[in-house]
């Protein structure tokens, strides 16, 4: 049996059929610096509560898969050093060896599925890295979206990635990419990448219903909801592009590989924008949490609630 531990708050919400939103922990340990990471994690949980849902931050702590963390657990994780970054490939090994690890989008989706949670909020998903035709670096997040029935609310794929190739792979895998409230695909720190998204939804109810129907039709997998960053927090694409290019060439020059690539790029972009990228990143995560809470409420009402 999976060593799965629900927090008292999550266990109570499940027992009463109340809406729950899953949250990842890699964004806390590898995506943002201390102490902004903890502030972000706490604010995100609050936004979900204000939206009428219960937050469930997921992480592996000492060999147990936790769904919902206490204040103490969250604080300790935000300050911990050398925490593993877990994806589908290494989650079970971390549990087997009694280890501690933060969950990426892929691993968080697995935790959410095991706990029966249908919606998850994050910043940006992993995807096809630029130059993937040589490195083969494609995030396991994409495969997971094709397998686990969880709707992931993100601000698109991180703009450090190759966004058109990421959309192509998602299409091949049969993953719906749904822009929320606009036609264009968002680009994480920027509201638009300048190309249309494959799908568009304008209400949380449509999104919950689509996930419900997908599962009812026997189509495995989840959905990616691409929610544009609020206008006041965005950094226009033209401003981000040279900064992203600088960070990418530094990563290449320093031989940064595999799991280190995303955290390295996010940290360098934070430095190059003098903290602005982090302010934007926090704003978009909170915005995604608001929408995810609305979707979670829809899942517990009407047809979508019968999942
Ligand atoms: N979103 C953010 N910051 C992050 C991540 C997402 O705003 O740090 C993390 C997620 O956990 C995602 C991971 O799954 O980056 C992707 O890593 P990789 O490219 O190595 O698959
Ligand atoms: Mn990778």
């Amino acid at each position: 049996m999976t060593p799965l531990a629900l927090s008292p708050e999550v266990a109570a919400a499940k027992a009463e059929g109340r809406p729950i939103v899953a949250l990842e922990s890699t964004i806390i340990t590898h995506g943002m610096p201390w102490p902004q990471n903890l502030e972000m994690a706490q604010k995100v949980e609050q936004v979900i509560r204000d939206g009428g849902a219960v937050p469930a931050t997921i992480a592996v702590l000492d060999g147990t898969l936790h769904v919902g963390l206490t204040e103490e657990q969250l604080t300790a994780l935000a300050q911990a050093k050398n925490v593993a970054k877990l994806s589908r490939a290494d989650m079970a090994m971390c549990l087997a060896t009694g280890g501690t690890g933060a969950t990426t989008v892929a691993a968080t989706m697995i935790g959410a599925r095991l706990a029966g949670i249908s919606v998850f909020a994050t910043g940006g998903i992993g995807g096809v890295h630029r130059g993937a035709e040589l490195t083969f670096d494609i995030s396991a997040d994409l495969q997971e979206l094709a397998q686990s029935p969880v709707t992931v609310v993100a601000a698109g794929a991180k703009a450090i990635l190759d966004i058109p190739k990421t959309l192509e792979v998602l299409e091949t895998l049969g993953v719906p990419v749904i822009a929320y409230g606009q036609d264009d695909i968002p680009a994480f720190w920027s509201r638009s990448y300048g190309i249309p998204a494959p799908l568009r939804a304008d209400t949380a109810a449509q999104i919950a219903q689509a996930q419900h129907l997908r599962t009812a039709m026997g189509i495995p997998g989840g959905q990616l909801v691409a929610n544009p960053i609020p206008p006041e927090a965005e950094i226009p694409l033209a401003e981000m592009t040279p900064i992203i290019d600088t960070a990418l060439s530094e990563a290449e020059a320093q031989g940064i590989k595999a799991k280190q690539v995303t955290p390295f790029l996010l940290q360098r972009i934070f430095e190059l924008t003098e903290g602005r990228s982090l302010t934007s990143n926090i704003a978009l995560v909170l915005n995604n949490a608001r929408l995810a809470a609305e979707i979670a409420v829809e899942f517990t009402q009407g047809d979508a609630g019968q999942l």
Side-chain angles (χ1 to χ4, degrees):
M1 245 191 58
T2 315
L4 187 71
L6 305 187
S7 69
E9 193 186 8
V10 170
K14 270 199 72 68
E16 294 159 22
R18 285 190 283 123
I20 307 174
V21 175
L23 295 163
E24 64 155 305
S25 44
T26 295
I27 189 171
I28 302 171
T29 54
H30 294 71
M32 294 184 186
W34 166 267
Q36 289 95 334
N37 60 349
L38 179 61
E39 286 166 31
M40 179 278 303
Q42 290 169 332
K43 274 195 200 148
V44 139
E45 293 206 347
Q46 193 53 47
V47 163
I48 288 167
R49 288 193 183 96
D50 293 346
V54 167
T57 302
I58 297 182
V60 175
L61 306 177
D62 303 319
T64 298
L65 176 55
H66 286 265
V67 178
L69 301 183
T70 63
E71 191 72 35
E72 293 71 37
Q73 287 168 330
L74 198 62
T75 308
L77 189 69
Q79 292 176 84
K81 301 258 183 303
N82 306 317
V83 177
K85 175 180 160 188
L86 301 177
S87 190
R88 167 173 274 256
D90 36 24
M91 211 176 174
M93 192 62 186
C94 185
L95 292 170
T97 55
T100 290
T103 52
T104 57
V105 168
T108 305
M109 288 180 76
I110 293 170
R113 172 171 57 76
L114 291 170
I117 302 172
S118 302
V119 58
F120 156 29
T122 184
I125 64 155
V128 181
H129 281 267
R130 299 191 198 180
E133 59 275 29
L134 297 175
T135 61
F136 280 40
D137 189 351
I138 302 176
S139 178
D141 292 354
L142 303 185
Q143 286 280 358
E144 202 57 49
L145 277 160
Q147 295 179 61
S148 287
V150 179
T151 291
V152 179
V153 183
K158 278 186 284 281
I160 53 174
L161 301 167
D162 188 321
I163 291 180
K165 284 198 185 79
T166 301
L167 292 175
E168 287 296 343
V169 171
L170 287 168
E171 186 187 11
T172 303
L173 293 171
V175 175
V177 178
I178 308 165
Y180 185 68
Q182 69 178 31
D183 291 327
D184 275 8
I185 190 82
F188 200 68
W189 298 284
S190 318
R191 283 177 65 78
S192 168
Y193 187 68
I195 55 173
L199 298 162
R200 169 181 175 150
D202 290 281
T203 67
Q206 290 168 343
I207 295 166
Q209 181 65 359
Q211 176 73 65
H212 169 66
L213 289 172
R214 197 180 162 83
T215 303
M217 287 189 289
I219 306 172
Q223 319 184 100
L224 174 62
V225 176
N227 187 27
I229 184 170
E232 63 280 7
E234 98 159 318
I235 310 178
L237 196 60
E239 239 177 279
M240 281 313 292
T241 302
I243 293 166
I244 293 169
D245 289 346
T246 304
L248 283 164
S249 20
E250 288 180 10
E252 207 191 325
Q254 292 180 38
I256 309 291
K257 294 253 152 47
K259 279 177 188 262
Q260 281 76 46
V261 174
T262 299
F264 174 90
L265 293 173
L266 290 176
Q267 173 63 23
R268 278 304 286 141
I269 291 168
F270 166 69
E271 291 158 9
L272 292 165
T273 59
E274 290 164 356
R276 237 177 112 203
S277 66
L278 180 59
T279 311
S280 293
N281 198 346
I282 293 171
L284 67 84
V285 174
L286 296 176
N287 190 46
N288 295 341
R290 262 187 294 273
L291 177 57
E294 274 184 58
I295 298 168
V297 169
E298 292 293 340
F299 271 125
T300 58
Q301 293 168 356
D303 281 353
Q306 292 160 21
L307 263 180

